[in-house]
């Protein structure tokens, strides 16, 4: 491009020096890294729970009628307190909570989970009468966050 102003030719292609080009490139890189850092910071502040329904097979001295479990893994970067574990029911927004969860380590609920730790809640699912009405498993934190989980084991449980 050329611009004529007061009988002077200015060539814009020659006005950008190598230093200017490097400054623009570094500015773009800095902006991109800043945006990525903001996204990572916001992501690190979220509650991240993995709720995984599983089939339980009792072996040894465990209760023989325990047949199902829900594992809750805290994938957050901070501790989270789990206050409720259970199932959402099909066709409703209702929850079926496990009132007296069976925990192998003898711990109680509410349960504080450190970062990257988990708890597994066992139950006597066949005796509960929930087989066909279960939509998915859930875990609720003390701050009201609810995370859901599904698995092939839960689909198998639903088929009985």
């Amino acid at each position: 491009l050329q611009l004529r102003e007061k009988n002077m030719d200015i060539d814009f292609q020659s006005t950008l020096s190598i230093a200017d080009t490097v400054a623009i490139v570094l500015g773009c890189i800095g902006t991109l890294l800043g945006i990525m850092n903001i996204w990572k910071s916001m992501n690190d502040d979220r509650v991240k729970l993995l709720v995984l329904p599983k089939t339980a097979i009792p072996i040894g001295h465990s209760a023989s009628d325990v047949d199902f479990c829900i594992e809750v893994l805290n994938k957050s970067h901070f501790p989270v307190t789990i206050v409720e574990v259970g199932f959402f029911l099909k066709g409703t927004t209702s929850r079926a909570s496990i009132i007296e969860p069976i925990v192998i380590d003898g711990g109680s609920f509410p349960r504080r989970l450190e970062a990257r730790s988990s708890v597994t809640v066992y139950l006597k699912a066949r005796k509960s009468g929930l087989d066909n009405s279960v939509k998915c498993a859930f875990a609720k934190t003390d701050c009201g966050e609810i995370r859901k989980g599904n698995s092939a084991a839960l689909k198998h449980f639903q088929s009985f």
Side-chain angles (χ1 to χ4, degrees):
L1 289 176
Q2 291 189 357
L3 176 68
R4 291 193 176 261
E5 189 173 308
K6 296 183 183 179
N7 296 331
M8 294 183 4
D9 287 339
I10 299 174
D11 187 5
F12 282 109
Q13 292 176 346
S14 64
T15 60
L16 281 180
S17 67
I18 294 176
D20 292 336
T21 305
V22 169
I24 291 171
V25 169
L26 291 177
C28 290
I29 291 172
T31 302
L32 180 63
L33 289 175
I35 291 169
M36 289 173 53
N37 191 29
I38 290 170
W39 178 82
K40 183 182 180 318
S41 175
M42 289 173 46
N43 190 41
D44 287 349
D45 291 342
R46 289 183 344 168
V47 173
K48 293 180 250 180
L49 295 176
L50 176 64
V51 179
L52 188 59
K54 299 178 177 182
T55 302
I57 302 172
I59 298 174
H61 297 289
S62 63
S64 61
D65 51 355
V66 169
D67 55 2
F68 205 77
C69 62
I70 301 172
E71 180 182 9
V72 182
L73 171 65
N74 179 13
K75 296 177 79 174
S76 305
H77 293 283
F78 50 87
V80 174
T81 301
I82 305 299
V83 296
E84 190 178 345
V85 176
F87 301 99
F88 272 102
L89 303 177
K90 288 181 182 175
T92 69
T93 57
S94 299
R95 299 187 308 255
S97 298
I98 302 169
I99 302 300
E100 295 183 26
I102 302 168
V103 184
I104 291 180
D105 64 5
S108 61
F109 270 74
R111 181 69 169 248
R112 182 178 170 92
L113 292 180
E114 295 297 325
R116 303 292 180 191
S117 65
S118 67
V119 64
T120 302
V121 174
Y122 294 86
L123 65 142
K124 302 169 186 175
R126 302 261 183 256
K127 292 185 178 181
S128 69
L130 289 172
D131 299 351
N132 294 323
S133 60
V134 171
K135 178 172 43 175
C136 64
F138 79 92
K140 180 180 176 184
T141 67
D142 61 346
C143 60
E145 297 282 333
I146 295 177
R147 297 295 182 265
K148 300 175 185 177
N150 222 329
S151 69
L154 185 60
K155 291 185 188 335
H156 184 321
F157 170 70
Q158 293 166 333
S159 66
F160 281 99

